Amino acid sequence: MIWDSRSSSNLATVKMMRSHRSLLFNVFLLCSLWTAVFTYRPVVLMHGINDNAGTFGTLIAFIEKFHPGTPIFDIDMFDNKESLISLPFQSSKVLDAIANFSSYHNATELNFICYSQGGMVCRGAIEAGSSIKVRNFISLSSPQGGQYGETEMTHYLFSTYVTENLYKIFYTKVGQEISIGNFWNDPHHQDLYLSTNTFLPYINNEVPHNSSATYWGNFARMNRLVTIGGPDDEVITPWQAAHFQKYDHNEQVVDIQDIEWYEEDSFGLRTLDKKGSWVRYSIAGVHHTSWHVNQTVFDCCIAPHLD
């Protein structure tokens, strides 16, 4: 049988084939455009004290394997000794950089992974940053409830001072120019903490200030808050500070429900908790310097929140 494209039946077949080819081409074109336009939500990374952007090589590899093509902003600011600059200043400059990154990628929402002191920097930027929209904020072993315990850094800087006396440095004008002083929360000198500390009491809305409503609104609107810490951290003290807890005057860890900033919902933490938007992970066996290179921590506690 000779196929004649000029016959009426065969002509209908040709038209149908052309229609199918056109449809397939359009589907292919749409898929190509979707692939070109769609990416995973951008991720912002912020390093800790006396550290730099290079510390996240392993974590970036984890993210790229889990979500290939994810835009990642590994903030290369306030590295090493510059990380000791005051946190109000750091947060302000980091916020500007994040806003530029978000604008460049036309990002409607960002995911944050902020480690150690970097979690405090990010929180300051998030609360002040009405220009950015946070999807999920992953606070990785960060002293959100404040630090009260010696570290290698405090010993290096102030070798003649023990924990009980560090308030004499940190709760001064000069001490507040040092990042550690900005989240130093001495349970025995709360009056000085509230009257001299220029950062933590402000982002906690423990003291009145003109931006308190903005701070509350920007924190409470995020989709999810994830806090990660553990009893073998050996740096964050108390380690439960990673979950916004702190010591009382007897140096006992206070239950979160009994802490004033939770009870009064001063910056939106209770609001997030009540709507199921605060996820807490307490993991034993992880030292402070290992959180961001631990595959298990990434798989269980970080990857599920890079949505």
Side-chain angles (χ1 to χ4, degrees), residues 36-225:
V37 171
F38 174 79
T39 57
Y40 295 105
R41 286 186 180 87
V43 174
V44 174
L45 305 178
M46 184 65 201
H47 63 79
I49 197 168
N50 199 32
D51 216 335
N52 56 68
T55 194
F56 286 130
T58 300
L59 179 58
I60 290 172
F62 290 161
I63 296 169
E64 290 180 338
K65 182 178 180 181
F66 179 67
H67 278 171
T70 298
I72 298 173
F73 183 26
D74 188 5
I75 299 174
D76 190 13
M77 299 172 66
F78 302 106
D79 295 346
N80 306 316
K81 291 183 179 180
E82 288 187 357
S83 65
L84 290 168
I85 293 172
S86 72
L87 295 188
F89 183 80
Q90 288 196 47
S91 293
S92 173
K93 296 304 180 183
V94 164
L95 172 58
D96 291 341
I98 294 170
N100 290 335
F101 169 78
S102 179
S103 177
Y104 177 80
H105 287 280
N106 294 315
T108 55
E109 291 181 311
L110 302 169
N111 287 321
F112 285 68
I113 306 173
C114 304
Y115 166 60
S116 193
Q117 178 181 278
M120 307 306 293
V121 175
C122 286
R123 186 177 154 207
I126 288 169
E127 291 192 19
S130 299
S131 60
I132 59 174
K133 182 70 181 297
V134 180
R135 175 70 176 178
N136 298 330
F137 173 30
I138 301 169
S139 175
L140 185 59
S141 190
S142 177
Q144 297 293 348
Q147 174 79 7
Y148 183 69
E150 292 178 71
T151 65
E152 287 185 9
M153 182 56 69
T154 58
H155 185 70
Y156 171 76
L157 293 172
F158 313 109
S159 59
T160 60
Y161 284 80
V162 295
T163 297
E164 291 78 9
N165 292 326
L166 281 170
Y167 79 93
K168 295 178 180 179
I169 297 173
F170 290 143
Y171 293 160
T172 65
K173 186 175 182 179
V174 172
Q176 285 302 297
E177 294 300 317
I178 303 169
S179 63
I180 307 169
N182 297 142
F183 55 88
W184 190 256
N185 193 352
D186 189 324
H188 307 292
H189 299 280
Q190 287 291 283
D191 54 340
L192 289 174
Y193 160 75
L194 293 171
S195 64
T196 64
N197 194 311
T198 60
F199 185 74
L200 187 57
Y202 284 83
I203 62 172
N204 283 345
N205 279 338
E206 295 177 89
V207 295
H209 60 96
N210 293 334
S211 300
S212 59
T214 298
Y215 285 12
W216 192 99
N218 288 339
F219 189 86
R221 72 176 176 170
M222 73 176 73
N223 174 68
R224 190 176 305 125
L225 168 67

